Amino acid sequence: MSTLVTGIGELVTNDPALGPGPLGIVTGAALVVDGGRVVWVGPAAAAPAADDRVDLDGRAVLPGFVDSHTHLVFAGDRSAEFEARMSGVPYDGGGITSTVAATRAADDDLLRSRLRAVVAEMRAQGTTTVEVKSGYGLSVAEEARALRIAREVTGETTFLGAHVVPPEFAGRVEEYVALVTGPMLAACAPFARWVDVFCEPASPHAFDGEASRAVLEAGRAAGLGLRVHGNQLGPGPGVRLAVELGAASVDHCTYLADADVDALAAGATVATLLPGVEFSTRSPYPDARRLLDAGVTVALATDCNPGTCFSSSMPLCVALAVREMRMTPAEAVWAATAGGAAALHREDVGQLRVGARADLSVLDAPSYRHLAYRPGVPLVRSLPPGDRSSASGVIGLTLER
Amino acid sequence: MSTLVTGIGELVTNDPALGPGPLGIVTGAALVVDGGRVVWVGPAAAAPAADDRVDLDGRAVLPGFVDSHTHLVFAGDRSAEFEARMSGVPYDGGGITSTVAATRAADDDLLRSRLRAVVAEMRAQGTTTVEVKSGYGLSVAEEARALRIAREVTGETTFLGAHVVPPEFAGRVEEYVALVTGPMLAACAPFARWVDVFCEPASPHAFDGEASRAVLEAGRAAGLGLRVHGNQLGPGPGVRLAVELGAASVDHCTYLADADVDALAAGATVATLLPGVEFSTRSPYPDARRLLDAGVTVALATDCNPGTCFSSSMPLCVALAVREMRMTPAEAVWAATAGGAAALHREDVGQLRVGARADLSVLDAPSYRHLAYRPGVPLVRSLPPGDRSSASGVIGLTLER
């Protein structure tokens, strides 16, 4: 059944062929959705007939957010660690092990219900595609379990056995890397699209360049795409390694040398910035302008996780990107939609042109600018009004499951 | 009809007689509501019978937020000004006149529907008491109209004819002050509880200490309580004037001399901090720790307005207070509830003890800490689940109307 969506005050298509700027803005637009896909976009006056019709009364429509970096399979609570950090205790990655202990102790149903609760929050805030990493299991069985559960809600699953070195391997990093690249990878690859590594020589808990290369090369050999956590806590080899190996994305990018920026600009790897982490750890924000001005493709994601950023809010990321990283509202909205799609090598999401998935976020506002102009306000609108329990503000929601 | 609320994981009462700390935390608590009031609070095991029963399944409950500083009667849109400011154009208060022009041109129904839309957003985010100022009319008829409309949604209405000097009085500040303190005050006082003034010698648009004193003294003589916008854009006499005249609150407090802090500590005036403004204007945050450490009573409010902070989100204020002003989560939650009540001289809201209004915010989280730990996430829960269109997460909502 086809649905004609009219009364769109401002349509963000992210297709420069459809309208001005990288956002491809169309005003006075209409859009026809059928079978979960966009089948027609254009001026309302020229819209074809459809079986059903929704009038948005001047509201802005943009592609659903693509949250390309999250850690959602976990148990436990780290609000006390957050409170301590806000009173001055620094973050070095060590708190991850407390989540590992709680996650290992949890049964599948608990992990599943926690995961689904956060995914429901994301939907309500306009996220329609989400990547989910493992990384709180850190054993063959536990990592495979996490990915199997994550696979129930998204096809964008990432094996992150190399998140931190678990306590039982303390001082035996090489042995742990052998486990990750051997039996753990073998058990996890069937449930994963991607492999990722926390490449951070500055952290006593994470992995250096050599170990990171081993993890990524093994993942690639197993048929997985590559992602990297790099340069979050200090300078390091993560960014250049990601570009060299052709990773889809390198995430964090807070401490960059000129050579890192040059590599990103020359390569095909997306730089994914996670400003919610800097907000929740009171850390310096990455220099988004330096990356953008160098021509690097930038994505925004939440990094939603119980330690360094327990926010599921892509609108907050957009507002922080504008306030703290001096991205324009247009750059931030592009990065949170098309940028996230690029970071996941996806062409069917992050844009609203014919053939794309009909993942629409409808704002209770006339413009995408209001995502930054109205920080903290839940602007993603339910359709029909008041029906928050179902589609939660997203027409044609097709979050993978 | 009485309702027993059980399954409260953590109850913030703000009554130190009921539990530890300024928040008066009770764990394993229950609460009985009748006739819009709290009629019983205590351990669940000792709860009396009631006609109805709601189980919150371990969720945290706190008093509804008291947003003691907003400007909600307006028309027009200033997202373009916001975007320009984010790209580097400084704020000096001048943009207010563009809202004045749009507001004057709007009919009552437009103003009313815009006001009600933002109030509905506030309710959905847990705000149960809201102060609303005039200040975008700046003529006798327009200011009275704004307050008459504001009075439809709250008893906490504030006459702010002395917001800025309107363009038609440019260079004739004394004449405008005579209008404000004469015919405008006479027309507005019947619809207002409070009088307020933008005391800001650093702004070419606002009022100096002498003019501010005249406005406040005239308002007091007309039976209104006093509020002051002070020390937002630079040092000035606002804070000391507020304390000297016994104002309920002085708001902003960004640029403080030692004498200002000393006056606040010795006086009875609440210092209301509005961190959403600093977020949305990329300005330095007030030094909340200096005030708290000096023993000053601190409130948090949104300052929701179309220019400097178009956020209606008290949860965002709490998160910003913790991240940017180094308030503890407990201090921030107190300031957003009991602090706001103190700033409005209200004893029936901002706390949950017997006799208080049954304005409960229920969080989809186990602790009030999650308001800071989970920034940007709409945690205020609907009851019953999914019914966002009615009470919007607030039991016994009694926003004044």
Side-chain angles (χ1 to χ4, degrees):
Chain A
M1 197 184 86
S2 60
T3 301
L4 170 63
V5 183
T6 59
I8 301 173
E10 178 182 273
L11 176 66
V12 173
T13 66
N14 285 339
D15 182 349
L18 293 173
L23 294 188
I25 299 277
V26 187
T27 50
L31 189 143
V32 179
V33 172
D34 198 349
R37 296 276 164 172
V38 176
V39 298
W40 188 90
V41 187
D51 303 323
D52 196 7
R53 187 188 178 105
V54 174
D55 190 302
L56 296 181
D57 198 21
R59 291 183 176 80
V61 170
L62 59 154
F65 296 117
V66 179
D67 191 349
S68 61
H69 184 138
T70 81
H71 306 251
L72 302 185
V73 186
F74 67 89
D77 183 289
R78 285 162 67 188
S79 57
E81 176 190 328
F82 167 79
E83 191 167 15
R85 192 165 62 234
M86 287 296 106
S87 73
V89 178
Y91 175 72
D92 71 352
I96 292 170
T97 54
S98 74
T99 296
V100 171
T103 303
R104 288 176 175 176
D107 66 21
D108 287 10
D109 283 347
L110 177 63
L111 296 180
R112 185 176 284 124
S113 69
R114 296 281 293 262
L115 167 65
R116 289 179 182 268
V118 179
V119 168
E121 283 179 8
M122 290 177 159
R123 289 182 183 194
Q125 296 171 90
T127 297
T128 50
T129 302
V130 62
E131 180 259 23
V132 177
K133 302 178 197 297
S134 66
Y136 296 124
L138 308 187
S139 71
V140 173
E142 288 291 331
E143 286 292 299
R145 175 170 80 133
L147 288 163
R148 180 170 46 75
I149 291 171
R151 188 66 118 180
E152 296 171 7
V153 302
T154 182
E156 300 294 347
T157 49
T158 299
F159 168 47
L160 182 58
H163 195 190
V164 292
V165 178
E168 63 272 23
F169 280 86
R172 298 186 293 135
V173 178
E174 283 183 29
E175 280 177 62
Y176 185 64
V177 171
L179 178 69
V180 168
T181 56
M184 199 186 287
L185 175 63
C188 289
F191 305 108
R193 182 177 178 209
W194 306 97
V195 64
D196 194 348
V197 58
F198 187 10
C199 178
E200 195 69 68
S203 166
H205 311 283
F207 300 87
D208 65 13
E210 189 183 354
S212 298
R213 179 185 293 273
V215 169
L216 294 169
E217 290 184 341
R220 184 165 60 184
L224 304 182
L226 310 188
R227 322 188 69 73
V228 177
H229 284 63
N231 301 56
Q232 175 187 2
L233 303 174
V239 167
R240 273 168 283 175
L241 183 64
V243 175
E244 178 200 329
L245 297 181
S249 182
V250 57
D251 300 27
H252 288 294
C253 298
T254 311
Y255 292 90
L256 297 182
D258 287 346
D260 297 320
V261 179
D262 293 345
L264 286 165
T269 300
V270 172
T272 299
L273 308 184
L274 310 164
V277 172
E278 282 76 36
F279 186 84
S280 289
T281 56
R282 205 184 279 129
S283 303
Y285 289 88
D287 190 346
R289 285 252 61 85
R290 183 181 178 198
L291 292 166
L292 290 163
D293 294 347
V296 175
T297 300
V298 170
L300 287 169
T302 62
D303 196 5
C304 186
N305 79 84
T308 55
C309 178
F310 197 9
S311 179
S312 53
S313 176
M314 289 295 285
L316 180 71
C317 290
V318 169
L320 289 174
V322 172
R323 169 35 157 108
E324 306 293 357
M325 304 198 298
R326 295 183 181 263
M327 293 172 73
T328 66
E331 288 168 339
V333 165
W334 191 93
T337 53
L344 293 172
H345 287 180
R346 291 282 293 269
E347 301 204 334
D348 58 335
V349 299
Q351 55 186 352
L352 292 172
R353 63 178 169 196
V354 171
R357 279 167 48 159
D359 294 344
L360 318 191
S361 278
V362 180
L363 300 188
D364 211 354
S367 169
Y368 70 85
R369 290 176 181 84
H370 286 238
L371 289 165
Y373 177 43
R374 309 213 59 207
V377 180
L379 287 180
V380 176
R381 181 183 167 77
S382 300
L383 283 174
D387 181 10
R388 188 179 162 84
S389 58
S390 60
S392 299
V394 184
I395 304 179
L397 182 91
T398 50
L399 205 76
E400 295 175 75
R401 63 195 76 223
Chain B
M1 196 184 88
S2 61
T3 302
L4 171 63
V5 183
T6 58
I8 302 174
E10 177 183 272
L11 176 66
V12 173
T13 67
N14 285 339
D15 183 348
L18 292 173
L23 293 188
I25 300 277
V26 188
T27 49
L31 188 142
V32 179
V33 172
D34 198 349
R37 297 274 164 172
V38 175
V39 297
W40 189 89
V41 186
D51 303 323
D52 197 8
R53 186 188 178 102
V54 175
D55 190 300
L56 296 181
D57 198 21
R59 291 184 175 79
V61 170
L62 60 155
F65 296 116
V66 179
D67 191 349
S68 62
H69 184 138
T70 81
H71 306 252
L72 302 185
V73 186
F74 67 88
D77 182 289
R78 285 162 70 188
S79 57
E81 176 190 329
F82 167 79
E83 191 167 13
R85 193 166 61 235
M86 286 297 106
S87 72
V89 178
Y91 175 72
D92 71 352
I96 292 171
T97 55
S98 75
T99 297
V100 171
T103 303
R104 288 175 175 177
D107 65 20
D108 288 11
D109 283 348
L110 177 63
L111 296 180
R112 185 175 284 122
S113 69
R114 297 280 295 262
L115 167 65
R116 288 179 183 268
V118 179
V119 169
E121 282 180 7
M122 290 176 159
R123 289 183 184 194
Q125 295 171 90
T127 298
T128 50
T129 301
V130 61
E131 181 259 23
V132 177
K133 302 178 197 294
S134 67
Y136 296 123
L138 308 187
S139 72
V140 173
E142 289 291 332
E143 285 293 298
R145 175 170 80 133
L147 288 163
R148 180 170 45 74
I149 291 170
R151 189 64 116 180
E152 296 171 7
V153 302
T154 182
E156 301 293 348
T157 50
T158 299
F159 168 48
L160 181 58
H163 195 189
V164 292
V165 179
E168 63 271 23
F169 281 85
R172 299 186 292 136
V173 179
E174 283 183 28
E175 281 178 61
Y176 185 63
V177 171
L179 179 70
V180 168
T181 56
M184 198 186 288
L185 175 62
C188 289
F191 304 109
R193 183 177 179 210
W194 305 98
V195 64
D196 195 348
V197 58
F198 187 9
C199 178
E200 195 69 66
S203 166
H205 311 283
F207 300 87
D208 65 13
E210 191 182 353
S212 298
R213 179 184 293 273
V215 169
L216 294 169
E217 289 184 341
R220 184 165 60 184
L224 304 183
L226 310 187
R227 322 187 70 72
V228 177
H229 285 62
N231 302 54
Q232 176 188 1
L233 303 175
V239 167
R240 273 169 284 176
L241 183 66
V243 175
E244 178 200 330
L245 297 181
S249 182
V250 58
D251 300 26
H252 286 295
C253 298
T254 311
Y255 292 90
L256 298 182
D258 287 346
D260 296 321
V261 178
D262 292 345
L264 285 165
T269 300
V270 173
T272 299
L273 308 184
L274 310 164
V277 173
E278 282 76 35
F279 186 85
S280 289
T281 58
R282 204 183 281 129
S283 304
Y285 289 88
D287 189 346
R289 285 252 61 86
R290 183 182 178 197
L291 291 165
L292 290 164
D293 294 347
V296 175
T297 300
V298 169
L300 287 169
T302 62
D303 196 6
C304 185
N305 79 84
T308 55
C309 178
F310 198 7
S311 179
S312 53
S313 176
M314 289 294 284
L316 180 70
C317 290
V318 169
L320 289 173
V322 172
R323 173 24 159 114
E324 305 293 356
M325 303 199 298
R326 294 181 182 265
M327 293 171 73
T328 66
E331 287 168 338
V333 165
W334 192 94
T337 53
L344 293 172
H345 287 180
R346 290 282 294 269
E347 301 205 334
D348 58 334
V349 299
Q351 55 187 348
L352 291 173
R353 61 179 169 195
V354 171
R357 280 167 46 160
D359 295 345
L360 318 192
S361 279
V362 180
L363 300 188
D364 211 355
S367 169
Y368 69 87
R369 290 176 181 84
H370 286 236
L371 288 165
Y373 176 44
R374 309 214 57 207
V377 180
L379 287 181
V380 176
R381 181 184 167 78
S382 302
L383 284 173
D387 181 9
R388 188 179 162 85
S389 59
S390 60
S392 298
V394 184
I395 304 179
L397 183 90
T398 49
L399 205 75
E400 295 175 76
R401 61 196 74 224

